[in-house]
Amino acid sequence: MTEDLISINPLLDMGFQLTMENAEGLLHNPKTHATIHVRRIGPRWSVDLEDLANAAQRTPNLNDHKVVRNMTTALAVITKGPKSIREKVIELHERMGHPNAEVMCNAIGGDNPTWTHSELQPHQIRRVLRDYPCLICLLAKRAKPPVGKAS
């Protein structure tokens, strides 16, 4: 089955409110009472296009949006909008197992890069990790309290 990716951002901008639970969620527009059911299928959040079409009929500005106009398949996957440089660096940092900035820079650049599709430059990685240090890394590096002797 093919999937069309849709961004959640335009739906939120049009007045929909998103509530999510473990395996399902709901996009609801309180003004128009339009509802779109969201369900988890593996790692993806999906919506039924019939729900989206019904919501489009109730929400005039949604029907004009290219997200709805171009859909022809039975399933659409909700994605977040374009990621910022900071989000890309932090995501890569987490996916690589929390390495330091130089290890990350060597992995994306140099003569034999191992992460070739990150779309990041070494100076971006250094700047983000300097300005937004990883909490997990900071906690792992802090001094551990001494363990007292058993009485």
Side-chain angles (χ1 to χ4, degrees):
M1 175 183 295
T2 62
E3 298 173 336
D4 289 325
L5 296 179
I6 63 171
S7 175
I8 192 73
N9 299 341
L11 297 173
L12 296 176
D13 292 343
M14 288 178 228
F16 282 88
Q17 297 173 350
L18 177 64
T19 54
M20 304 294 279
E21 291 185 13
N22 204 16
E24 59 186 36
L26 197 65
L27 278 160
H28 179 72
N29 189 329
K31 291 181 184 175
T32 63
H33 302 289
T35 302
I36 302 171
H37 295 276
V38 181
R39 67 186 180 284
R40 187 174 198 139
I41 301 174
R44 298 179 178 207
W45 292 94
S46 301
V47 297
D48 189 316
L49 293 184
E50 285 185 31
D51 290 342
L52 191 59
N54 291 338
Q57 289 174 353
R58 292 180 149 181
T59 311
N61 57 346
L62 178 60
N63 205 21
D64 294 336
H65 200 275
K66 69 177 183 177
V67 166
V68 177
R69 201 174 49 230
N70 294 336
M71 291 187 183
T72 55
T73 61
L75 187 68
V77 176
I78 296 177
T79 62
K80 198 173 176 186
K83 292 182 182 175
S84 67
I85 298 296
R86 178 177 165 252
E87 289 173 318
K88 288 180 182 180
V89 170
I90 291 171
E91 180 182 56
L92 182 63
H93 176 72
E94 291 170 353
R95 292 181 81 190
M96 292 178 74
H98 297 271
N100 66 33
E102 290 310 309
V103 170
M104 289 180 66
C105 291
N106 290 336
I108 66 155
D111 297 332
N112 192 15
T114 54
W115 292 76
T116 56
H117 299 292
S118 69
E119 301 173 3
L120 294 169
Q121 300 296 319
H123 70 277
Q124 293 170 323
I125 291 174
R126 289 184 188 102
R127 181 180 46 83
V128 168
L129 291 181
R130 181 191 67 234
D131 295 345
Y132 303 97
C134 174
L135 179 61
I136 294 170
C137 294
L138 291 175
L139 291 174
K141 291 176 188 175
R142 75 177 181 179
K144 309 292 188 280
V147 178
K149 293 182 179 180
S151 56

